[in-house]
Amino acid sequence: ESWPRPVKLPKSSDDYLGALKRGWWFILLLTAIAGGVGTWFTLQQQPIYFASSRILIEPPRAIVPELGGEKTNAALSSNFFNTRVQMIASREITHRVLTSRALSEWKERTGIEDPFETLSDWVEVKPVLNSNLVDVMLEGTDPVLTAQIVNLVVEEFMGYEENSLREFEQLSRSKLTSEVRNLRNALD
């Protein structure tokens, strides 16, 4: 004897609607559980604070531009900006920040083993497109410390820049004085 095989009819939208009507409480329960877990997880997160500062970096100008020549000044300008952007996040600036009075106890407070590497990884330096501007940014869980670190990075970089420009000025002045002396000797 062979029994006739039952024919499966395709499901219609009414079948799906009927299933939703019968299981509305289950859908509501799953939504409530997922929403509750998501809310709990969000409330357990520490708030993240963002601090940023913008710096204008301009190459130094020669005392007498004609002495360096067009090509020399153009070459200096093209690499100057990129070098300074790298310096902001360098170990030199990081060391200055960490040894400043404002962060003298930071290592002890945080328990971080290598604060130099950690701070270098945390601070983000990003050039602003088609400009000589650079954004220095940091995200952290302590709003005061986050702002303090960004401000210190900028202050230490600016101090480093001032010293570099002062040295550049002294070198330029020395070179110019030497050139004037040579010209006077040649005229005598």
Side-chain angles (χ1 to χ4, degrees):
E1 277 178 60
S2 97
W3 293 91
R5 289 193 167 165
V7 177
K8 287 191 175 185
L9 297 174
K11 299 269 185 200
S12 69
S13 58
D14 288 339
D15 292 329
Y16 290 114
L17 210 57
L20 285 176
K21 285 180 183 177
R22 287 189 305 272
W24 67 269
W25 61 271
F26 185 68
I27 294 168
L28 185 63
L29 178 66
L30 284 179
T31 303
I33 290 172
V37 168
T39 301
W40 177 82
F41 182 76
T42 301
L43 293 175
Q44 297 303 312
Q45 298 295 312
Q46 272 191 315
I48 302 294
Y49 300 94
F50 180 79
S52 70
S53 184
R54 186 166 275 186
I55 304 172
L56 174 64
I57 299 177
E58 291 184 307
R61 289 172 179 65
I63 296 171
V64 181
E66 290 77 28
L67 286 180
E70 284 286 319
K71 291 182 181 177
T72 306
N73 288 336
L76 282 174
S77 295
S78 68
N79 289 326
F80 185 84
F81 180 77
N82 292 330
T83 302
R84 290 308 185 253
V85 168
Q86 293 301 316
M87 278 305 299
I88 295 170
S90 71
R91 197 161 179 88
E92 169 75 23
I93 301 300
T94 301
H95 178 71
R96 289 172 178 234
V97 168
L98 288 172
T99 55
S100 71
R101 262 193 209 166
L103 287 182
S104 60
E105 298 174 7
W106 183 63
K107 182 180 178 184
E108 289 77 23
R109 286 188 289 163
T110 59
I112 293 174
E113 301 233 356
D114 185 7
F116 292 104
E117 190 66 34
T118 302
L119 190 58
S120 293
D121 289 344
W122 285 355
V123 175
E124 184 180 348
V125 180
K126 189 176 180 181
V128 177
L129 192 62
N130 299 323
S131 73
N132 283 350
L133 298 172
V134 177
D135 287 331
V136 178
M137 301 169 284
L138 178 67
E139 289 183 353
T141 55
D142 181 343
V144 174
L145 184 61
T146 302
Q148 186 178 31
I149 289 173
V150 167
N151 290 335
L152 282 171
V153 167
V154 171
E155 287 171 16
E156 292 300 332
F157 173 72
M158 298 305 279
Y160 174 84
E161 265 309 280
E162 286 176 18
N163 289 338
S164 295
L165 291 174
R166 196 172 299 115
E167 289 173 10
F168 178 77
E169 177 188 355
Q170 289 171 352
L171 181 66
S172 297
R173 189 178 308 262
S174 170
K175 187 176 180 180
L176 187 59
T177 304
S178 174
E179 289 292 322
V180 168
R181 188 178 319 115
N182 289 342
L183 287 172
R184 282 187 181 157
N185 289 339
L187 291 174
D188 288 340

